[in-house]
Amino acid sequence: MEKILQLADYQIVLGNALDNLKAFLAQQSYSQIFILVDENTKQHCLPKLSNENDSIINDANIIEIESGEWNKNLTTCQQIWKHLLAKNADRNALLINLGGGVIGDMGGFVAATYKRGIDFVQIPTTLLAQVDASIGGKLGVDFEHVKNIIGCFNNPKTVLIDPAFLQSLSQRQIRNGFAEVIKHALIADADYWTQIQQISELENVDWTAIIYRSLQIKRAIVTEDPYEKGVRKILNFGHTLGHAIESYSLENDADPLLHGEAIAIGMITELYLSVENKIFSQKTLEQLLPYFSAIYPKYDLTNIPFETILAYLKNDKKNKGQQINFTLLQDIGQAVYNQQVTEEGMMGALEFYQKG
């Protein structure tokens, strides 16, 4: 049974993606339809959007790019823009982004900037994108190894979420998205956290219920603060140190951390900083740590110079002037933003993670 969440000017529809896409297109009149995929979603997800009696895919232009965060850059954007130009896409064209966070972030950015903006639809196919990345209109790409530093705000025409796509994901990709589920609970809903703590095996989860609750939380936050001037900043919990570590890993590791893996590290370190700032209980921190350890493998920070992490932190979008801003926790379900932390505190947080 489909579920609908209404935002200011678009809907999130949770249900069968093909049925909901057909219903959406029946109300529109686009000159051309383009579908952005990578090699994985072309193989595993694109066939789910078509059947023998339907011409949506047969008539659409497929744009394929290479998967991976390291391809979320302006060079790949140029490839997509060139394809749109070569096919004479006008301002009444539609771009459907079929994929995870990389496809959604970059495809949305390309659509928002091509001919000053064409419509786009998000069809997120990973748990990470379904619970977080496809919602809220934040679009962008990485530049000079800094995550999401080039981008804009622009809303899709609709977001179509189908949990059936998750069947094609590895357990690592499920863990990747589950970090954002944990984050939603910790920043906004203590009861949700109690529910999530009962999940020990990610193979057997009612993802529809989990996705829907996470979407409710994020919708409430982005509706109140669409351009991240205030309360929306609580969604950055785990993302300050987490993004810095992710950026380092993308630049230096043969098998880089996935976003959620880095954010899990970020949440542990920022929980430590919450205690250090005397707003969070040490006892509660100690109760939370085993859950993270049970799900996320340890990452070795030993050989990363703090100066390197600090350089990434200084380029964080959330900064104001030279001040690095953090979102920290006061309690489970209660986050506070624009929190200042010393360099010594940040070093201590990284050491705390490494020793844990």
Side-chain angles (χ1 to χ4, degrees):
M1 182 177 177
E2 80 175 25
K3 296 176 180 288
I4 297 176
L5 289 93
Q6 182 68 52
L7 282 85
D9 56 356
Y10 67 99
Q11 289 183 333
I12 305 166
V13 186
L14 185 58
N16 182 279
L18 175 59
D19 290 346
N20 290 322
L21 180 59
K22 289 167 65 175
F24 169 78
L25 292 174
Q27 300 173 22
Q28 313 295 326
S29 180
Y30 288 111
S31 56
Q32 289 174 279
I33 296 174
F34 295 83
I35 304 177
L36 182 64
V37 297
D38 60 29
E39 71 277 11
N40 298 315
T41 57
K42 182 180 182 180
Q43 177 183 352
H44 298 293
C45 302
L46 192 58
K48 295 182 185 298
L49 286 188
S50 185
N51 57 44
E52 294 179 359
N53 301 316
D54 195 276
S55 61
I56 294 176
I57 301 303
N58 295 335
D59 294 342
N61 295 280
I62 308 301
I63 307 175
E64 183 179 353
I65 61 172
E66 293 184 16
S67 63
E69 181 77 25
W70 47 91
N71 291 309
K72 195 173 85 172
N73 53 46
L74 290 172
T75 300
T76 309
C77 289
Q78 289 181 20
Q79 296 173 17
I80 305 169
W81 284 320
K82 286 178 181 178
H83 189 108
L84 293 170
L85 274 173
K87 294 293 184 179
N88 298 311
D90 60 24
R91 294 180 73 177
N92 196 41
L94 173 72
L95 181 62
I96 298 171
N97 298 316
L98 180 68
V102 170
I103 290 278
D105 284 357
M106 185 161 49
F109 176 70
V110 164
T113 49
Y114 179 76
K115 297 193 174 179
R116 295 198 176 97
I118 62 173
D119 286 356
F120 66 99
V121 167
Q122 303 287 42
I123 305 183
T125 60
T126 65
L127 182 59
L128 177 66
Q130 290 187 357
V131 299
D132 191 74
S134 63
I135 314 304
K138 287 171 74 170
L139 311 168
V141 296
D142 306 340
F143 183 69
E144 295 294 311
H145 305 293
V146 180
K147 277 187 61 67
N148 302 323
I149 202 69
I150 307 295
C152 61
F153 287 92
N154 202 30
N155 286 330
K157 297 303 290 183
T158 190
V159 179
L160 307 178
I161 296 177
D162 189 342
F165 288 127
L166 303 183
Q167 296 168 9
S168 67
L169 299 183
S170 67
Q171 281 304 295
R172 188 182 181 194
Q173 282 291 348
I174 292 291
R175 288 198 305 270
N176 184 32
F178 195 61
E180 295 288 355
V181 172
I182 293 172
K183 180 197 76 176
H184 290 148
L186 290 178
I187 65 172
D189 189 341
D191 291 337
Y192 189 32
W193 171 247
T194 299
Q195 175 189 350
I196 286 169
Q197 280 186 296
Q198 309 309 310
I199 299 172
S200 58
E201 300 291 334
L202 297 182
E203 292 90 345
N204 301 304
V205 176
D206 178 4
W207 288 118
T208 298
I210 294 291
I211 292 165
Y212 188 65
R213 182 63 193 125
S214 275
L215 290 174
Q216 287 178 313
I217 290 170
K218 186 158 187 183
R219 176 188 63 170
I221 294 168
V222 302
T223 299
E224 183 175 346
D225 180 18
Y227 298 110
E228 202 171 322
K229 302 297 185 183
V231 70
R232 184 169 177 166
K233 294 179 183 180
I234 69 172
L235 290 167
N236 293 321
F237 175 61
H239 285 60
T240 302
L241 278 167
H243 266 172
I245 293 166
E246 183 182 4
S247 294
Y248 172 86
S249 180
L250 284 168
E251 190 171 359
N252 293 279
D253 293 341
D255 182 21
L257 286 168
L258 298 178
H259 174 75
E261 294 169 335
I263 297 316
I265 299 170
M267 285 190 281
I268 293 169
T269 55
E270 292 172 26
L271 283 166
Y272 169 88
L273 290 171
S274 302
V275 174
E276 287 295 292
N277 273 24
K278 296 180 169 45
I279 61 173
F280 193 75
S281 160
Q282 174 73 34
K283 180 180 178 181
T284 307
L285 168 62
E286 292 170 359
Q287 292 170 343
L288 293 173
L289 292 177
Y291 192 75
F292 282 96
S293 299
I295 297 175
Y296 295 97
K298 190 78 172 181
Y299 179 72
D300 188 3
L301 300 176
T302 307
N303 297 319
I304 306 178
F306 179 69
E307 292 74 20
T308 302
I309 295 295
L310 190 61
Y312 287 120
L313 288 168
K314 287 180 177 177
N315 281 319
D316 193 287
K317 304 183 301 301
K318 302 180 290 296
N319 297 345
K320 187 173 183 179
Q322 297 301 308
Q323 184 63 57
I324 299 169
N325 285 318
F326 283 79
T327 291
L328 302 178
L329 292 194
Q330 288 181 309
D331 201 351
I332 294 176
Q334 297 179 27
V336 287
Y337 56 88
N338 290 348
Q339 298 296 296
Q340 280 73 55
V341 173
T342 65
E343 291 186 13
E344 291 76 16
M346 289 181 252
M347 290 178 65
L350 296 172
E351 291 170 2
F352 172 79
Y353 173 81
Q354 188 62 36
K355 291 176 181 176

